[in-house]
Amino acid sequence: NTLDRVTRPLLVIGELTEPPEKVFGAISDLAADALGRIYVLDRQALELRMFDAGGRFQRNLGRGGTGPGEFRYPNAISISRDGDVVVSDFQLERLSIFTFKDGTLAHSRDLRLAVQPRDICHVGSRAFLLAETAHGLVHEIDSDGRVVRSFGSRREVVDNV
């Protein structure tokens, strides 16, 4: 059956019978980079887990806290054009950026924001945040976290009850 071939998973990460690093609490986002590594953001465990393309656990990135590379409410992941793994933290109003060189974590840095990010994505060299402010819903930011431009507004929904 064609539908069975389409819906059959190619890879499963996260079974209750697996080791602790493959058991998740509350997954808020996931992403894959150009090398096939898979990143799973666990909001409950306050960590980003990295797996190779075959689903084998590689390492944890980040942990709970307010210091560099630490999370309070990690809610989204994006992979930049350069391969940096970017995690947005709604509560800390910042991005944690993990940079790899030759497959190994080279360094991480935090980028303070003036908004509470709900989501992040990269399109080429550009980064966009979803964050509701008086200036709009979507904000393009530069590499220092400054807003370049904002657009979009929330549409009011009228309840006809």
Side-chain angles (χ1 to χ4, degrees):
N1 184 329
T2 305
L3 185 58
D4 287 340
R5 281 184 271 141
V6 172
T7 59
R8 188 176 304 127
L10 299 175
L11 177 68
V12 175
I13 301 173
E15 300 275 341
L16 288 177
T17 58
E18 296 199 78
E21 64 271 6
K22 287 190 171 186
V23 177
F24 302 100
I27 296 174
S28 55
D29 203 1
L30 58 95
D33 66 15
L35 299 175
R37 293 179 295 210
I38 302 161
Y39 301 88
V40 180
L41 186 58
D42 190 327
R43 184 176 59 239
Q44 183 176 339
L46 297 172
E47 59 192 18
L48 176 63
R49 298 184 194 158
M50 183 175 88
F51 299 87
D52 69 13
R56 288 176 292 281
F57 176 75
Q58 298 297 295
R59 66 175 302 154
N60 284 326
L61 298 167
R63 62 178 182 207
T66 58
E70 295 179 335
F71 309 126
R72 289 294 299 272
Y73 193 88
N75 57 320
I77 309 168
S78 184
I79 310 294
S80 76
R81 179 179 66 177
D82 298 329
D84 291 344
V85 180
V86 182
V87 178
S88 68
D89 192 306
F90 180 80
Q91 217 170 46
L92 294 177
E93 295 182 358
R94 73 178 184 200
L95 302 177
S96 293
I97 303 166
F98 300 93
T99 301
F100 292 85
K101 183 176 172 103
D102 300 325
T104 304
L105 181 65
H107 71 278
S108 68
R109 68 183 179 105
D110 292 329
L111 194 60
R112 295 284 305 152
L113 302 169
V115 297
Q116 289 182 308
R118 296 190 182 279
D119 204 353
I120 182 170
C121 75
H122 285 83
V123 179
S125 62
R126 301 164 69 189
F128 296 89
L129 295 175
L130 173 63
E132 189 168 352
T133 70
H135 303 291
L137 288 173
V138 179
H139 311 277
E140 183 176 358
I141 59 170
D142 64 15
S143 60
D144 293 319
R146 291 186 299 258
V147 174
V148 175
R149 66 185 177 116
S150 299
F151 55 93
S153 61
R154 182 178 289 277
R155 186 160 98 187
E156 288 193 37
V157 178
V158 178
D159 193 1
N160 292 331
V161 178

